[in-house]
Amino acid sequence: LPAGLSQWFPALEVLDVSGTGLAEMGTELLSLPCLHTLLAKNNRLGGPGSLPKGLGQAPLARSLRVLNLSGNRFAEVPPVLLRLRGLRSLSLGGNRLHGIPPDIQELHSLEFLYLGGNFITAIPPELAKLPSLRYLVLCDNKIQSIPPQLAQLHSLRSLSLHNNLLTYLPREILNLVHLEELSLRGNPLVVRFVRDLTYNPPSLQELAGRTVKTRNVPYAPSDLPESLVRYLSLASNCPNPKCGGVYFDSCVRQIKFVDFCGKYRLPLMHYLCSPECSSPFSSASQSSTSQSESDSEDEASVAAHRMQKVLLG
């Protein structure tokens, strides 16, 4: 950046240096107290020193609202960007990112996050701690699964996940009550799904815990070691409405297809307490499974009513 920039334009609000071949942005950037939009797309940023060290402490850390660094060479999200607490829009598409740092949760004001076109393999659960996030773009990566915590993004309107390696969606995705657009094309889940029938028998501790929970055995914190009280609090209810059981660590993964938007059948992941809840050889469990499917489809119909667009192809 040219020297004396802040002297020439002390009230500068928008700066666009895209496509200029920049390999670094100097300290002159720190002297622009009114800057709220910085566009530096399609440059050579990404090496050591490409962003000024004092960025997180400068007045810019409070004034900057929009930052676009797409089309550069960043191999990781620069830690200094996570100090820009006033950011509402952050774009790092088309870089060389292999992950998303858990500290992304510090950007509480973020409404738009674009990380498409990278090499990201996993989504950290901490991403769900962005209360204002409305648009999340993670397309064209190598993501294999979606953490169920993403259902906590109650403000989310649009979720772009196309061209990844997804084979299923977590059941919790139906809880995104404001989601209007979901893009899934180019994922294996569109043409096939994976069903894991392996089941590790419950431990003696889990069997005892299940008995305590399902039979409502009374106990007080003073009756048991703190570790067992904590363990008992981690019980998950089996989603099969005819079962009424619980599980802790040992469960059966089951993928169910449910109608979505009246047109598509999407695979949603369920966790059942035992193989008997999904076995096709038992008439009792057969009715239980059909009831569970019915419940899932009811949930999906509610989601379909509010969803305006599902992009699968």
Side-chain angles (χ1 to χ4, degrees):
L1 294 178
L5 182 64
S6 60
Q7 297 176 358
W8 300 337
F9 307 104
L12 189 67
E13 296 183 354
V14 179
L15 177 61
D16 189 348
V17 291
S18 300
T20 58
L22 274 179
E24 64 178 65
M25 289 191 284
T27 55
E28 280 296 317
L29 190 66
L30 308 180
S31 304
L32 299 171
C34 300
L35 192 69
H36 61 69
T37 300
L38 174 59
L39 310 176
K41 302 178 292 181
N42 304 323
N43 284 301
R44 294 184 291 122
L45 300 169
S50 59
L51 298 177
K53 291 183 179 180
L55 188 62
Q57 289 79 35
L60 201 61
R62 295 184 295 274
S63 66
L64 202 60
R65 296 290 180 267
V66 177
L67 177 60
N68 192 325
L69 295 173
S70 292
N72 280 283
R73 303 177 180 180
F74 291 102
E76 62 178 14
V77 177
V80 68
L81 298 188
L82 304 178
R83 301 178 187 173
L84 303 177
R85 304 298 168 79
L87 273 185
R88 295 177 184 169
S89 175
L90 174 61
S91 299
L92 280 164
N95 277 274
R96 302 171 182 177
L97 305 179
H98 284 79
I100 305 172
D103 286 345
I104 194 79
Q105 64 181 314
E106 301 298 328
L107 301 179
H108 299 297
S109 300
L110 208 59
E111 299 177 6
F112 178 91
L113 179 60
Y114 190 105
L115 298 174
N118 283 286
F119 303 96
I120 297 169
T121 58
I123 302 173
E126 289 81 4
L127 189 63
K129 297 181 180 179
L130 297 175
S132 303
L133 196 64
R134 294 164 60 88
Y135 301 93
L136 176 58
V137 181
L138 295 167
C139 60
D140 300 291
N141 279 286
K142 299 180 181 298
I143 299 168
Q144 299 183 42
S145 63
I146 304 299
Q149 289 87 348
L150 240 58
Q152 300 170 18
L153 290 172
H154 301 303
S155 298
L156 201 64
R157 298 291 194 276
S158 177
L159 177 58
S160 296
L161 294 166
H162 51 274
N163 299 331
N164 276 285
L165 303 175
L166 298 172
T167 55
Y168 67 87
L169 297 178
R171 176 191 180 106
E172 290 81 1
I173 202 79
L174 299 176
N175 295 331
L176 290 170
V177 296
H178 295 297
L179 194 65
E180 298 173 353
E181 181 173 311
L182 175 63
S183 180
L184 294 168
R185 67 182 185 275
N187 280 282
L189 68 80
V190 176
V191 294
R192 64 181 174 86
F193 70 98
V194 175
R195 183 169 184 169
D196 186 356
L197 294 178
T198 60
Y199 178 68
N200 295 321
S203 65
L204 291 177
Q205 176 174 299
E206 174 151 351
L207 289 173
R210 291 187 181 198
T211 300
V212 170
K213 285 294 185 179
T214 56
R215 298 188 179 181
N216 294 317
V217 176
Y219 67 91
S222 57
D223 299 332
L224 300 171
E226 182 180 349
S227 60
L228 290 182
V229 174
R230 185 165 55 251
Y231 179 79
L232 289 170
S233 70
L234 298 177
S236 298
N237 292 322
C238 182
N240 185 339
K242 294 293 183 71
C243 172
V246 300
Y247 64 88
F248 294 85
D249 302 311
S250 182
C251 58
V252 176
R253 295 172 61 192
Q254 182 185 52
I255 295 176
K256 290 183 180 295
F257 280 92
V258 297
D259 289 324
F260 217 78
C261 290
K263 185 175 181 180
Y264 305 106
R265 290 181 67 80
L266 298 184
L268 298 179
M269 180 63 76
H270 295 246
Y271 294 90
L272 301 173
C273 68
S274 72
E276 286 73 23
C277 277
S278 58
S279 171
F281 303 108
S282 165
S283 59
S285 59
Q286 182 84 20
S287 63
S288 298
T289 301
S290 63
Q291 177 66 44
S292 181
E293 281 188 9
S294 175
D295 288 356
S296 297
E297 290 176 358
D298 287 344
E299 288 178 322
S301 66
V302 173
H305 178 71
R306 65 173 180 265
M307 189 81 69
Q308 296 178 2
K309 191 181 296 182
V310 176
L311 304 176
L312 295 181

